[in-house]
Amino acid sequence: MTRTPLNEAAVQQAVQTYYGSTLTSSADLRTNACCDASAVPAALRPLLGRLHPEVLSRYYGCGLVCPPLLEGARVLDLGCGSGRDAYLLAQLVGPGGSVVGVDMTAEQLAVAESHRVFHAEAFGYDNVRFLEGFIEQLEQLDLEPASFDVVISNCVVNLSTDKLAVLRGVRRLLKPGGEFHFADVYADRRVPQALQADPVLYGECLSGALYWNDFLRLARQAGFADPRLAGDRPLEITDPELAARTGELRFFSATYRLFNIDSLEDACEDHGQAVIYKGTIPGHPHRVDLDIHHSFETGRVFAVCGNSFKMLHQSRLAPHFSFINAHSSAHFGLFPGCGSVMPFTSATAAPTTAGSSSCC
């Protein structure tokens, strides 16, 4: 993987300027890479209706990053901006949980902070705080290691010039079995250096995007042995000028789940294990997804690889599953279909159907 480092300070300043003053609302964005309100699940839209209008108008994320089972959880939101996701998540974690938002843009944080009282009164509790800082330097913030159940990020990691530092910082802050559940932008190939230096393309979440396979390499280098793709969509560059600059590059918005589990293997190995979903996760009485290849129907025995087994068995998801051969010492080789093609469903063949034993 060869990617020439950019001037970190210059890029950070350009991003701060773009999101702090160049953009005044989501209407100023020139692509759909960083904004997709349609991705908000219908069940959660009433929660958005309780947020302050200015917080909503200053939102620049790509959809909504919202894993299940957040009640009572401690959540960290990287690149929280004006606080839209943080205040939405505050309602999901409830008074027994908490949300910390981190952002480097003072103007955005000022919006978020100015409406804390408004949201505390609307919710009936105050469980959100905001910190100014860089997501590449999480160790410098007032955050305890191994103290978060879930870390989220919404179209922000691509803006970082040191993505490995971000991933390592996240892993340091996650509890054992915790997860980094985040949406971001990826490219089908490495973005040329000349485009990486383009401030508009960078601010629009495009030229800072990693080639998808380089992201997988960095995630594994940071200790996340088995990144799981939870969803994706192709991005359309509708601005003619920006489309001309990017040429044949293709971009995707994708959501990944990275579990902080030390014992994960570097491949999908078959240990003769299976799980049964109990149907007890709120909002998911009939089926729940781990990733695009694992959709668990209530009551059905589903054969899984050792890594999938551990992701369910060693995380907050465990009480909602029954486990078969939890202490298996058997090994039957790789699961079939465990390959290395581009993972995004919109660019490859259809994903494995529910109930199949193929792991990836």
Side-chain angles (χ1 to χ4, degrees), residues 161-223:
T161 58
D162 191 348
K163 296 170 176 62
L164 179 59
V166 176
L167 293 170
R168 284 174 168 165
V170 167
R171 190 163 190 265
R172 174 178 172 271
L173 293 174
L174 281 172
K175 297 177 182 179
E179 70 167 298
F180 186 22
H181 192 114
F182 71 111
D184 220 282
V185 177
Y186 302 91
D188 70 337
R189 66 199 73 184
R190 291 171 182 150
V191 177
Q193 183 72 15
L195 293 185
Q196 293 178 43
D198 187 307
V200 174
L201 286 174
Y202 212 97
E204 291 281 336
C205 304
L206 295 176
S207 63
L210 278 175
Y211 163 48
W212 66 270
N213 214 11
D214 285 345
F215 160 70
L216 297 180
R217 295 184 179 105
L218 286 182
R220 291 166 183 145
Q221 188 177 345

Side-chain angles (χ1 to χ4, degrees), residues 225-226 228 261 263-269 271 273 290 304-313 359:
D226 190 358
R228 293 299 179 90
I261 299 174
S263 58
L264 294 181
E265 299 181 274
D266 62 0
C268 294
E269 304 288 349
H271 297 282
Q273 296 172 311
L290 175 64
V304 293
C305 73
N307 283 355
S308 296
F309 193 93
K310 290 173 182 176
M311 290 173 188
L312 299 172
H313 192 258
C359 204

Side-chain angles (χ1 to χ4, degrees), residues 247-277:
E248 293 300 311
L249 276 166
R250 287 192 296 164
F251 295 93
F252 300 82
S253 175
T255 298
Y256 273 97
R257 306 182 79 168
L258 309 182
F259 285 87
N260 183 28
I261 299 174
D262 289 335
S263 58
L264 294 181
E265 299 181 274
D266 62 0
C268 294
E269 304 288 349
D270 186 351
H271 297 282
Q273 296 172 311
V275 300
I276 303 173
Y277 175 50

Side-chain angles (χ1 to χ4, degrees), residues 51-332:
L51 304 189
H52 194 280
E54 186 180 13
V55 167
L56 293 173
S57 70
R58 294 294 297 268
Y59 168 71
Y60 309 122
C62 47
L64 178 66
V65 185
C66 188
L69 288 176
L70 292 182
E71 184 175 359
R74 180 169 164 79
V75 178
L76 175 64
D77 180 7
L78 299 183
C80 64
S82 64
R84 191 205 80 159
D85 287 358
Y87 286 126
L88 190 150
L89 291 163
Q91 300 173 73
L92 296 175
V93 303
S98 63
V99 179
V100 178
V102 172
D103 204 275
M104 69 175 181
T105 308
E107 294 90 341
Q108 288 280 81
L109 284 178
V111 173
E113 282 283 1
S114 68
H115 300 300
R116 280 187 63 184
V117 173
F118 172 90
H119 292 103
E121 292 177 349
F123 305 158
Y125 49 84
D126 183 5
N127 62 350
V128 181
R129 71 181 177 117
F130 297 100
L131 297 174
E132 183 174 352
F134 298 105
I135 62 173
E136 303 91 346
Q137 301 171 10
L138 294 172
E139 73 282 355
Q140 297 184 15
L141 301 179
D142 179 25
L143 299 169
E144 287 294 321
S147 64
F148 289 94
D149 300 288
V150 176
V151 177
I152 74 163
S153 176
N154 203 337
C155 209
V156 171
V157 175
N158 68 87
L159 297 173
S160 170
T161 58
D162 191 348
K163 296 170 176 62
L164 179 59
V166 176
L167 293 170
R168 284 174 168 165
V170 167
R171 190 163 190 265
R172 174 178 172 271
L173 293 174
L174 281 172
K175 297 177 182 179
E179 70 167 298
F180 186 22
H181 192 114
F182 71 111
D184 220 282
V185 177
Y186 302 91
D188 70 337
R189 66 199 73 184
R190 291 171 182 150
V191 177
Q193 183 72 15
L195 293 185
Q196 293 178 43
D198 187 307
V200 174
L201 286 174
Y202 212 97
E204 291 281 336
C205 304
L206 295 176
S207 63
L210 278 175
Y211 163 48
W212 66 270
N213 214 11
D214 285 345
F215 160 70
L216 297 180
R217 295 184 179 105
L218 286 182
R220 291 166 183 145
Q221 188 177 345
F224 295 107
D226 190 358
R228 293 299 179 90
L229 179 64
D232 65 272
R233 65 180 176 90
L235 296 180
E236 181 183 2
I237 305 176
T238 56
D239 185 291
E241 180 186 349
L242 299 186
R245 292 187 219 173
T246 55
E248 293 300 311
L249 276 166
R250 287 192 296 164
F251 295 93
F252 300 82
S253 175
T255 298
Y256 273 97
R257 306 182 79 168
L258 309 182
F259 285 87
N260 183 28
I261 299 174
D262 289 335
S263 58
L264 294 181
E265 299 181 274
D266 62 0
C268 294
E269 304 288 349
D270 186 351
H271 297 282
Q273 296 172 311
V275 300
I276 303 173
Y277 175 50
K278 299 177 182 179
T280 51
I281 293 178
H284 301 270
H286 307 298
R287 184 184 298 273
V288 72
D289 297 335
L290 175 64
D291 54 51
I292 63 169
H293 297 293
H294 296 79
S295 184
F296 303 103
E297 185 179 358
T298 300
R300 173 175 289 190
V301 177
F302 195 110
V304 293
C305 73
N307 283 355
S308 296
F309 193 93
K310 290 173 182 176
M311 290 173 188
L312 299 172
H313 192 258
Q314 298 182 29
S315 73
R316 69 189 190 286
L317 302 171
H320 304 277
F321 285 83
S322 297
F323 297 92
I324 299 171
N325 288 342
H327 304 290
S328 173
S329 60
H331 180 238
F332 302 99

